[in-house]
Structure formats: C-alpha cells, structure tokens
Amino acid sequence: MEFFTFVGWLLDNPDAGFLPKFIGVAAAWAVGITVFVSVAALFFVWLERKVSAHIQCRLGPMEVGPHGVLQTLADGLKLLAKEDIIPEGADRFLFALAPILAFAGTFVSFAVLPFGPDLVIADLDLGIFFLAAVGSLEAIGVIAAGWASNNKWSLFGSVRAATQVVSYEIPMGIAFVTVAVVAGTLSLNGMVESQNGMFWNWLVFRNPFMPIVFISYYIASLAECKRAPFDLPEAESELVSGFHTEYSGMRFGIFFIAEYAAMYVVSALAVVMFLGGWYTGIAPVDAWVAKSALLANLVGAIVLITKSFALVFLQMWLRWTLPRIRLDQMMYLCLKVMVPIGMVCLIGAALWQGIAGVPADLMGDSQRPAFPVVGSISGLVCFLVATVGGWIWVRGAIRGTKSYQLANYKS
Amino acid sequence: MSSEAARTLTPVPAGLSRGRMLDQDGDLRTEEMLLNMGPQHPATHGVLRVVVRTDGEMVIDCEPHVGYLHRCFEKHCESVSILQSVLYTDRLDYLTAMGNNWGFSMAIEKLFPDLVIPERAQYIRIICQELNRIASHLLAIGTYGMDIGAITPFLYCFREREKILSIFEAICGQRLNYNYIRPGGVAYDVDDRMVQTIKDFCAYFRPKALEYDDLLSKNDIFIRRTAKVGVLRPETAIQYGCTGPVLRGSGLARDLRRDMPYGIYDRFDFDVVVGQGEAGALGDCYDRYIVRIREMEQSLRIVEQAAAKIPGGEYRSPKIKGKIRPPKGEAYTRIENSRGELGFYVVSDGKDIAYRVKCRAPSFHNISVIPEISRGSMVADLIAIIGSMDIVLGEVDR
C-alpha cells in the first residue's frame, strides 16, 4: 500500500496511462523529498551551529526565532539575494553545472532510501548498489567545481576530492558487500526487514565482525560527506575554501545543502544497514505497530529519522573535536588500514554465515541469522569491546605517555 | 621521491611527450604550480605572503614575502618624543605589547647612568610580562589548532585569554596595546584587589592545561600532523638566528630570562623548557607547540611567586618626570619576549626625541627559516610549519 493517497489513487487507477502515472508519482515524491531535504538541511545547519557553539562554550545563534531556529532561513534568504558571480576565466558551463551535479547526486540517493516500510520511492533489488553509484556523482560535481573555477585553491580542493573518492569508496564498498552477505539481499528494504525483532537482531550485532564493519563504514561515510577529520577538499585553513572558494550566493548554498543532505543520506544508510532501520528494536512494540500500515509507516519514519539524526549529531560532534588529517594519512587510513580490516571482516562474516549451514533454500531463509544467539552475544560483546575497550585503551595510552606526564607535572 | 631529487630535473629521453619530465629516480613528473599563499589567506596569520612552488601537494620551494604591514616604526621613533615612542612599540608584536614596552623602556633606562627602578614596578612588570606571555602562547596554540583543522581549542584558548585581558584592562585600561610599562616604572599602580584577581587566575588556569592536552597535545591526529613535520635542526636554528620557543623547540636551552637576567628574573624559580623530540624528531612542529604549552606553566609559576611577594612602595621612579631627556649615548637591550629575543638599540643625542631607534624583531628571524624547513613537505604541512613559527606580522614588518 502506498502512503500518499494521491499516489495510491494514481497507481490503483487502471484508466490512468503509464505517463501520467509516472509523472504523478514522480512529482509527488519529488515535492516530498525536496521539502524533506530542504527542511532537514536547514535544521542541520542550525544544529551544527548550535552543537559547535555549545562544544565551544558559546551560545550560537539566538536572535532569529527561539534559540535562533530561523537563523538558517535568514541566511538562506541572504544567499538568495546575493549577486551570482562567475569569475573571469571560469568555465561558465561547468561552473554552473557543478553545484547541480553535486546536489543531484545526493538528491537521487533518496530514491532508494526508505523512511518506513512503504515509504520508499523505489525498493530496488540492487538498492545499495544504486546508492553507491549515485553517491559518487556528488564527487564529480565537486571535481567539476574546482576545475571550472579557474582558481588554484579550488583545483587543489577538487584534486583532493578526487583522491578522497578513490580512497574511501573501496572500504565503503567492502562494507556494503559484507552487509549484503549477512543480510542476504541488496535491497535496502530487505536489509531492514532482516533486522526485525529485538535490537540484538540488528545487523551491527549479527556476528563479531559486524561492529567493525559498522565503524569502518562510518569512517568512510565521514570521508564521503567531506566532514572533519576528512574535510580535506574544503580545508579552510589550507585551501581558503577549497573547491567552493569562487562560489557565492545560491550556487554556494546548493553545495551547502547538498553537503548537509549527504550527511543525512549516509547516516540513514548506516541506520538501514546496521541499526535496524525503522524498527524500534523492541519486538513487542514493532509487532503492535505493524498491525496498522499507517502507524507502522508513521512510527517507522520517526524512528528511522531519529536514529539518523543521532548519527548526524555524532558527525558534528566529531567535526568540532578532531583536527584534520593530511592527504597521505587519509589515503593510508582508507587503503592500508580499512581495506585489509574490511576484507578480514568480509571473509569472517561470510564464513560465519556459511558455517551456520545456510538452508537449502538460500534466497528464502538466508535472512535468518546464523547461530542467532551466539552471533548476537558475540556481536554485542565485540561492539562493547571495540567502543569501551578502545576508549579505555586510548585514555590509558594518553595517560601513559611521557609527554602527557611532562605536560601535567605539578611544580 | 626525495626533496633533493624534486629540485633537480632532468629532461626526459626522446620519445616521451613534450613537457613531461623525469626526476632523478626516473619517476614521471607533473607540471609545477606557482601558488600565492597570502597576503589574504586564512592561515598566514596576518598579511604574510608566501609564494609556493608546488608539485601536486608537494612543496618544492617557498619564499615568504614581507612588508605588507610596514609602518616605519623606527622612523616614527625619530620624530616623536620617547614617551610617545613607547606607544608605537605596542604595535610591534601586538600580542605581547607588555614585552615590547618593557624592552624599549629598558633601552631608555640604560641611557640614564644610575637610575634605579622601584621594586614594586619590577614586580608589576614581571607579572604583566608573564601574564602577557601566557595570553600570547594561548593565542598561538589556539590558532595553531585551527591551522591543523581543530577549531574548538581556539575558543577554549580565547576563554582563558579573555580573563588575562580583563586583568590588563583593570590594570591599565587597555586590552591589547597597553602602553603601560614606561621608562622609569609603570604607568599606574596595581591595587591589592588586582593582585588577588591575578592569584585567582593562576589557580583557575592551572587545571586548564588538561583540556588542551585532550584536544590537541595527546590527540592522535594532531600528533600525526605535527610530528616529524618541519624539522628545524639546532644548527639551522642558530644559523638563521631563531629565538624563543622556535629555538627551544629544537632542543637549545636559551632563555634570556635565565641566561642574561634582566629586571629581577634572577629571583624567581622557573625552568627553561626545551623540545625533546618526544613525538618524533627533535625540532619538529610538535616540539615547538609543546614548548609553548609548558612555557605557560612556567610563566604561571613566575606570576604566582611574584604575586605572592609583591612589595609596596613607588611604582615608578621619581627621577623620571615629564619629558624624558636621556643623556647622550647609545644603548642596546634585549628581552625574552614570547616570540623570542626582542632587541632595541637606541641612540640619544640628549633631546627628548631619540636620534635613532633600531628594533630586532624575533618573528622576522623566525620567518626566514620557513623555506629551509618546508621544502619537500606537503601543502598541509606548510600551513602547520607557518603556524608553529607563531609569527606576528606587525613585528616582522615593523
């Protein structure tokens, strides 16, 4: 069933031809997604300013609206009213096309990104593959922007962006494959449905390798969004503003919205792939909610968006805490650390699935977790070890260093 | 590809396309790019212009161009009275204006044969100078974090610096250009309430070092960005006349406060902090950074000792009143400012206007070593190197 009655009517109406159906459905979704993306981006920009402010002992925007919620709207209006400058010597066509490409890449991702059980434009069988493909389109926009600007700093930014794409795409792709192996499907809806039940059924806890894959994916997703510590293409202290140095007005605004929309896309994808998608993680609640399609979609959307927003908040938290890593270090991390780890996890997860004796009907039952109890417990333990242990280890390593003790000796 | 190889190019053998070059290792070389970093660039700390020759992300060569902030400081001093010249010294290293005032005043005082600076003035001078050093190092650390990409430490540093500036504001009415330490003493007295505020600040500031450790000093990314980057060998530092934290970061324990004590620095107990190469190499960016962090601790020790035993009495010498007319002669004095040795050479012909003033600015010498240590690094490293030098262009250009 479809959530929008209009869409439902169009689809159920046998009299409507293919084209009106297509256009109607597309228009309805396009409007819906545009509104969601714009509002989410506006909210994220405001949230980022508030998060950064509170991390930095400041208040952040307080003037426009209560606690400055409308500040981004005011800034957006300002950007709209600004002169649209195309620098002399720029490749005018590419210069104008680049922000559209960057935005389109992110926007198209929403085609397969589910918001609820039925709230998805197209539940493609190769959904995750589609996302990986169009997600890279944004990088093309960024590279084009840097090239078209005819500015050396922009060129630096775009070359860095290209370097970054070829680095993070590989561990990210490996993470996708691992998830597909464990979930037994490439469809995003299928992935979420395979995580039904209690929260230990979530893919992140499915076996001991999945927490590592989740962390690996999250790091790669930071790089995809060009967020700190991977904000190399726009490193403002090094490259002025990187690829969008020459952009002003709404063209810059579109880059901005695309960046914040991409933050939502990668976070929502992490939720869909690892954190149970629209399921609350408490089986009785999900079972009760599932009785009504409307309720299931409503609650599902709220749950999924809340989880995604939490991950977006984590991205912001990281950005305002960590310094930027260098280009070679980014490539080292992505290609020499995350790829081997991802490969090990892929093989481990595949073996885990295989040893459990996947039923003869592979396609039908493979969504059932192998060694459900052992897998979940070991996954939970591994997750805890990875997070808590890692934190303790880092703190211990800090306290133990000679420089720490030197820096903190009391006179 | 080593940096040496990068500079010496050999033409490709016939057959490869035109414009392609091979270096000595036989790698295919790409075209070089000439980049103008500055004078308007977020990481050049003012109006420094660095012309960088890059090969991709690699810096082949760079050359700092200075002079965008030239204000004829020395010439000004020859045309206004000495008391007015003190005001111009504020604008040299505007982040450590107390030190500039003191350095210039010391040169003038040296011209007077038997001028005794009152004890209280000496203590006030030391408190102000060391507090100002902390404020200056805080800004250096904060902006350095920003150069590396961490924005939050900058605001933490400013939070603390704000408290110091408030103390200065209460003492002399100014927050940046103090014009407070003058020939013969200081401009205004400090009351007991102010001394208590300074003591409170010391107690408040000491634990704050932990926050910078968590955010920067012990941050793995920060260490990886600064360790073994821009290694300044001790002999290079000496050759280029580097002083201050830049020299001490290279492991050379030279601090005028200890080696040639001026004022009453010989009465205080403090350590000269030197880099130890603990993150990687001796004299790398991390060493220069960590020296500043630990120097703040030492400055705090001095402030605490001085605030504990500040005597009463005069705050300026009664001998110097009205127009300052030093006797004929010349004097050179140098002090350990927060960026290094700040020297003033003053020639007097007996009038109230100096005949000639020459300023030896530490930043000018520190800046000149940047090309030497940044060859062969990456563009991001160049930013880290410039930041670690902690230059103030007001002092470089004078």
Side-chain angles (χ1 to χ4, degrees):
Chain A
M1 97 129 227
E2 281 291 337
F3 188 61
F4 291 121
T5 19
F6 171 62
V7 176
W9 171 79
L10 264 179
L11 287 178
D12 297 338
N13 187 359
D15 296 338
F18 172 73
L19 204 61
K21 258 188 190 177
F22 178 77
I23 293 172
V25 173
W29 275 108
V31 169
I33 294 295
T34 311
V35 168
F36 176 78
V37 170
S38 312
V39 172
L42 287 181
F43 175 74
F44 285 152
V45 174
W46 173 80
L47 188 69
E48 174 113 275
R49 296 174 70 167
K50 278 301 199 188
V51 167
S52 74
H54 287 283
I55 285 177
Q56 298 169 344
C57 326
R58 296 186 286 121
L59 285 177
M62 289 296 283
E63 295 298 323
V64 191
H67 283 260
V69 279
L70 300 177
Q71 181 68 47
T72 332
L73 210 60
D75 290 346
L77 284 176
K78 182 205 73 174
L79 282 178
L80 272 174
K82 272 190 143 180
E83 188 188 350
D84 173 34
I85 300 167
I86 297 182
E88 228 173 59
D91 185 328
R92 296 183 72 90
F93 174 69
L94 268 186
F95 191 84
L97 185 69
I100 299 168
L101 269 180
F103 185 71
T106 316
F107 195 72
V108 172
S109 306
F110 283 92
V112 290
L113 207 61
F115 288 90
D118 302 314
L119 287 176
V120 59
I121 300 175
D123 179 16
L124 291 186
D125 283 341
L126 39 67
I128 202 160
F129 186 73
F130 178 83
L131 258 184
V134 298
S136 308
L137 201 63
E138 195 204 351
I140 294 175
V142 167
I143 295 165
W147 170 254
S149 296
N150 192 29
N151 178 319
K152 287 171 182 173
W153 297 115
S154 306
L155 186 63
F156 259 99
S158 65
V159 172
R160 281 183 176 194
T163 319
Q164 196 155 309
V165 169
V166 296
S167 303
Y168 75 76
E169 283 282 339
I170 299 168
M172 196 179 236
I174 292 172
F176 286 160
V177 174
T178 316
V179 172
V181 164
V182 174
T185 174
L186 281 171
S187 148
L188 293 177
N189 279 41
M191 279 176 189
V192 178
E193 275 151 20
S194 76
Q195 305 178 56
N196 198 354
M198 292 303 282
F199 64 88
W200 53 75
N201 275 354
W202 291 359
L203 280 176
V204 66
F205 304 127
R206 187 61 61 85
N207 63 46
F209 303 99
M210 291 311 278
I212 303 166
V213 176
F214 170 61
I215 293 167
S216 173
Y217 166 78
Y218 195 74
I219 294 173
S221 77
L222 287 177
E224 182 175 358
C225 298
K226 302 184 282 296
R227 301 286 297 179
F230 300 96
D231 55 343
L232 295 151
E234 50 188 296
E236 73 269 12
S237 64
E238 292 161 19
L239 305 181
V240 191
S241 261
F243 65 91
H244 58 63
T245 305
E246 294 289 352
Y247 280 84
S248 62
M250 209 48 214
R251 285 190 212 279
F252 166 73
I254 289 173
F255 269 123
F256 212 58
I257 292 174
E259 188 190 322
Y260 281 87
M263 279 165 66
Y264 176 81
V265 170
V266 296
S267 300
L269 191 57
V271 169
V272 164
M273 288 199 307
F274 296 100
L275 301 177
W278 55 75
Y279 291 122
T280 54
I282 304 159
V285 175
D286 286 330
W288 182 78
V289 161
K291 282 178 189 161
S292 150
L294 184 75
L295 200 62
N297 278 310
L298 193 66
V299 174
I302 293 171
V303 168
L304 192 142
I305 290 174
T306 310
K307 284 179 188 172
S308 310
F309 276 30
L311 286 185
V312 169
F313 172 76
L314 191 61
Q315 284 188 342
M316 293 174 179
W317 190 359
L318 286 173
R319 173 175 176 187
W320 296 104
T321 310
L322 294 179
R324 183 185 313 115
I325 70 174
R326 213 167 51 202
L327 191 67
D328 56 328
Q329 291 165 348
M330 184 271 295
M331 290 163 75
Y332 178 86
L333 176 69
C334 287
L335 295 175
K336 292 182 93 171
V337 177
M338 274 155 63
V339 167
I341 289 176
M343 282 292 187
V344 169
C345 289
L346 171 60
I347 293 166
L351 284 177
W352 191 278
Q353 287 296 111
I355 289 168
V358 178
D361 183 7
L362 192 87
M363 297 308 291
D365 281 340
S366 65
Q367 286 177 3
R368 203 169 59 211
F371 289 141
V373 179
V374 182
S376 296
I377 291 173
S378 56
L380 275 170
V381 168
C382 187
F383 185 79
L384 284 175
V385 166
T387 51
V388 180
W391 185 75
I392 291 170
W393 180 76
V394 166
R395 298 296 294 190
I398 288 173
R399 304 275 182 212
T401 49
K402 184 182 162 199
S403 47
Y404 182 87
Q405 288 154 1
L406 277 171
N408 293 299
Y409 87 103
K410 297 285 175 279
S411 55
Chain B
M1 186 176 65
S2 70
S3 60
E4 286 301 314
R7 267 177 288 160
T8 48
L9 308 177
T10 49
V12 282
L16 281 174
S17 62
R18 198 176 60 83
R20 296 270 171 97
M21 306 285 270
L22 292 182
D23 62 14
Q24 285 169 340
D25 303 338
D27 293 335
L28 198 63
R29 287 187 44 71
T30 46
E31 247 177 80
E32 285 169 11
M33 198 198 262
L34 206 62
L35 266 178
N36 251 314
M37 193 184 279
Q40 278 101 34
H41 185 276
T44 52
H45 294 231
V47 285
L48 173 64
R49 172 174 161 231
V50 187
V51 178
V52 194
R53 205 149 61 86
T54 61
D55 174 15
E57 282 272 337
M58 302 289 282
V59 176
I60 293 175
D61 204 356
C62 74
E63 190 183 346
H65 288 242
V66 298
Y68 289 90
L69 208 58
H70 186 60
R71 307 176 304 286
C72 307
F73 160 73
E74 289 166 10
K75 193 69 193 164
H76 267 127
C77 291
E78 293 167 24
S79 50
V80 298
S81 75
I82 283 168
L83 213 49
Q84 285 169 316
S85 303
V86 177
L87 191 134
Y88 280 109
T89 62
D90 283 328
R91 275 80 179 161
L92 291 173
D93 176 356
Y94 40 80
L95 299 177
T96 330
M98 288 287 183
N100 305 338
N101 291 167
W102 195 358
F104 186 73
S105 302
M106 218 155 75
I108 303 297
E109 287 156 6
K110 205 174 171 184
L111 289 168
F112 288 94
D114 37 57
L115 178 73
V116 179
I117 311 298
E119 278 284 286
R120 186 172 176 80
Q122 298 275 29
Y123 273 90
I124 295 173
R125 280 180 176 188
I126 283 204
I127 290 174
C128 288
Q129 161 76 331
E130 294 306 321
L131 279 179
N132 209 335
R133 192 188 308 277
I134 294 174
S136 167
H137 281 351
L138 276 174
L139 197 122
I141 290 159
T143 49
Y144 193 45
M146 230 163 165
D147 288 342
I148 302 290
I151 301 164
T152 302
F154 177 73
L155 283 119
Y156 281 39
C157 289
F158 259 59
R159 184 186 60 190
E160 267 76 78
R161 184 170 175 266
E162 182 66 27
K163 290 199 180 293
I164 299 179
L165 295 194
S166 301
I167 291 173
F168 285 151
E169 192 179 2
I171 291 178
C172 60
Q174 293 287 336
R175 289 166 57 84
L176 201 62
N177 296 319
Y178 310 109
N179 191 18
Y180 178 60
I181 298 176
R182 297 185 190 169
V186 293
Y188 316 100
D189 201 359
V190 173
D191 62 9
D192 293 341
R193 217 165 32 140
M194 238 22 258
V195 176
Q196 188 53 45
T197 314
I198 291 165
K199 285 177 184 166
D200 292 346
F201 170 78
C202 292
Y204 160 84
F205 184 70
R206 204 175 279 279
K208 291 289 169 190
L210 284 168
E211 286 184 6
Y212 308 126
D213 276 344
D214 286 347
L215 281 168
L216 289 179
S217 312
K218 300 296 156 284
N219 186 306
D220 198 47
I221 297 175
F222 181 80
I223 293 174
R224 274 165 205 269
R225 280 297 306 277
T226 52
K228 295 181 195 164
V229 167
V231 177
L232 177 61
R233 286 177 301 140
E235 50 274 27
T236 318
I238 294 169
Q239 280 165 4
Y240 279 83
C242 297
T243 45
V246 177
L247 182 75
R248 289 194 285 274
S250 295
L252 292 164
R254 176 152 176 84
D255 191 326
L256 291 180
R257 292 175 293 172
R258 187 198 62 179
D259 298 340
M260 298 173 58
Y262 54 95
I264 50 165
Y265 269 114
D266 44 359
R267 295 184 201 170
F268 296 101
D269 176 32
F270 65 97
D271 300 328
V272 175
V273 185
V274 291
Q276 291 152 328
E278 61 209 75
L282 179 66
D284 57 7
C285 287
Y286 186 82
D287 273 352
R288 289 192 280 278
Y289 158 84
I290 205 75
V291 159
R292 292 199 179 92
I293 287 265
R294 291 175 194 156
E295 262 183 23
M296 292 200 297
E297 170 76 23
Q298 300 302 327
S299 293
L300 208 61
R301 281 174 69 187
I302 298 175
V303 173
E304 278 172 343
Q305 292 170 49
K309 50 187 180 184
I310 181 166
E314 294 277 346
Y315 62 93
R316 64 180 170 197
S317 168
K319 268 194 169 179
I320 294 186
K321 272 182 195 158
K323 278 189 177 173
I324 299 173
R325 285 199 183 82
K328 270 188 188 177
E330 51 187 284
Y332 180 72
T333 55
R334 45 186 177 167
I335 65 157
E336 185 69 35
N337 215 1
S338 48
R339 274 160 197 80
E341 259 183 61
L342 175 70
F344 280 102
Y345 176 64
V346 182
V347 182
S348 167
D349 57 355
K351 292 183 192 148
D352 65 331
I353 299 172
Y355 179 76
R356 176 81 174 91
V357 171
K358 170 84 182 87
C359 170
R360 186 258 186 225
S363 289
F364 183 76
H365 294 261
N366 293 346
I367 208 174
S368 61
V369 82
I370 288 175
E372 181 71 28
I373 60 175
S374 60
R375 282 190 196 111
S377 59
M378 301 182 82
V379 172
D381 290 339
L382 179 63
I383 307 292
I385 290 167
I386 295 175
S388 76
M389 288 293 159
D390 184 26
I391 43 172
V392 166
L393 268 297
E395 187 180 57
V396 174
D397 296 339
R398 298 192 289 286

